[in-house]
Amino acid sequence: MDLSAPYIIGRWLLYPDADGKLPDRGILDTLASHSDLWHQRIGIVATLALIRQGQTADTLRIATRLLDHRHDLIHKATGWMLREVGKKDPGCLLEYLESHFRDMPRTALRYAIERLPEPQRLYWLKRQ
């Protein structure tokens, strides 16, 4: 699922359909709101294809929606996608962290900051 979601749903969201319109990205919100954990995880992991194209807004929106999730697998996926955002746009990640680090599960935060220089990682961990 982690390997296929970005290539199936994520890529599908990047290409116009026959009438020239891009698919509605609301599918990500629908998946993230689903009662099934795996649908929710697909909702965040599918955004990897968008991140790779420099489009981070959907990832940040879905990540925020999932911040209070109870399951560790969602925390890991959310942190992973935030880390990917940081690879593409470090300032965007830092801005997101500044707004949301207090609400983030520790696992999500640790995954999100994994690639930051050690002083920055320690800074965020101490603030939480």
Side-chain angles (χ1 to χ4, degrees), residues 25-78:
R25 294 194 179 175
I27 186 71
L28 298 171
D29 298 285
T30 301
L31 287 163
S33 299
H34 198 279
S35 60
D36 180 64
L37 166 78
W38 300 109
H39 284 79
Q40 295 165 351
R41 189 167 167 109
I42 290 168
I44 189 70
V45 174
T47 67
L48 181 58
L50 306 175
I51 296 166
R52 289 177 175 159
Q53 296 299 312
Q55 300 175 28
T56 60
D58 295 295
T59 303
L60 301 178
R61 183 182 73 254
I62 301 302
T64 302
R65 175 185 290 262
L66 296 172
L67 282 180
D68 64 349
H69 200 282
R70 60 179 170 70
H71 204 287
D72 193 55
L73 288 173
I74 298 299
H75 303 170
K76 290 176 181 181
T78 301

Side-chain angles (χ1 to χ4, degrees), residues 1-127:
M1 188 269 331
D2 286 352
L3 297 176
S4 62
Y7 293 100
I8 297 172
I9 295 174
R11 285 183 124 183
W12 170 72
L13 293 170
L14 291 168
Y15 296 100
D17 56 23
D19 65 1
K21 290 176 51 179
L22 288 171
D24 181 8
R25 294 194 179 175
I27 186 71
L28 298 171
D29 298 285
T30 301
L31 287 163
S33 299
H34 198 279
S35 60
D36 180 64
L37 166 78
W38 300 109
H39 284 79
Q40 295 165 351
R41 189 167 167 109
I42 290 168
I44 189 70
V45 174
T47 67
L48 181 58
L50 306 175
I51 296 166
R52 289 177 175 159
Q53 296 299 312
Q55 300 175 28
T56 60
D58 295 295
T59 303
L60 301 178
R61 183 182 73 254
I62 301 302
T64 302
R65 175 185 290 262
L66 296 172
L67 282 180
D68 64 349
H69 200 282
R70 60 179 170 70
H71 204 287
D72 193 55
L73 288 173
I74 298 299
H75 303 170
K76 290 176 181 181
T78 301
W80 169 27
M81 290 305 108
L82 290 171
R83 182 177 66 236
E84 295 299 320
V85 166
K87 287 180 186 177
K88 202 68 168 170
D89 185 349
C92 183
L93 172 61
L94 296 176
E95 187 177 306
Y96 184 85
L97 291 174
E98 192 61 51
S99 297
H100 298 285
F101 76 95
R102 285 183 184 89
D103 302 320
M104 292 178 74
R106 186 89 166 164
T107 301
L109 178 63
R110 291 185 74 81
Y111 271 60
I113 64 174
E114 189 174 86
R115 300 273 176 148
L116 296 178
E118 186 174 357
Q120 279 187 317
R121 284 194 316 267
L122 294 173
Y123 169 80
W124 290 109
L125 290 172
K126 287 178 184 176
R127 287 187 71 189

